[in-house]
Amino acid sequence: MLCYAIMAEDAPGTLEARRAARPAHIERLQALKSEGRLLLAGPHPALDCEDPGEAGFTGSLIVASFDSLASAEAWAANDPYVAAGVYARVTVKPLRKVLP
């Protein structure tokens, strides 16, 4: 399997939609983790702190293993944040993991 970076940018004003869709989003990430395919995942806080409060987030980064770019793109397209309109744009790129 190859690694892919899924980089998403939030649409403005979607913090409540993000909060509502978060349990389903996390459930999908947990499935990748239990399969040993998740390398890294997390949101980008809008402020330089652990909890940005109402400032919310500007997007997310997920690095995981998939069989192909097409399968990574399909997985990303079915994210609950996409369905909820949280993500304005999602980019999926192959990643060559060097370290650690």
Side-chain angles (χ1 to χ4, degrees):
M1 284 200 179
L2 303 171
C3 292
Y4 295 89
I6 300 169
M7 301 160 288
E9 295 178 34
D10 285 15
T14 57
L15 181 58
E16 288 308 314
R18 179 183 262 275
R19 287 176 175 156
R22 187 173 189 273
H25 173 77
I26 295 297
E27 184 177 325
R28 291 181 83 230
L29 292 173
Q30 290 290 355
L32 282 179
K33 181 181 175 188
S34 70
E35 295 166 5
R37 297 172 44 205
L38 183 66
L39 294 149
L40 168 73
H44 299 286
L47 303 174
D48 187 15
C49 61
E50 180 69 22
D51 181 0
E54 292 305 309
F57 300 89
T58 62
S60 302
L61 171 65
I62 299 166
V63 179
S65 297
F66 292 92
D67 290 329
S68 65
L69 178 59
S71 63
E73 290 172 331
W75 187 91
N78 288 308
D79 194 289
Y81 284 167
V82 171
V86 173
Y87 291 156
R89 179 172 44 187
V90 177
T91 304
V92 181
K93 292 183 176 186
L95 175 73
R96 194 177 122 216
K97 185 178 181 242
V98 176
L99 294 170

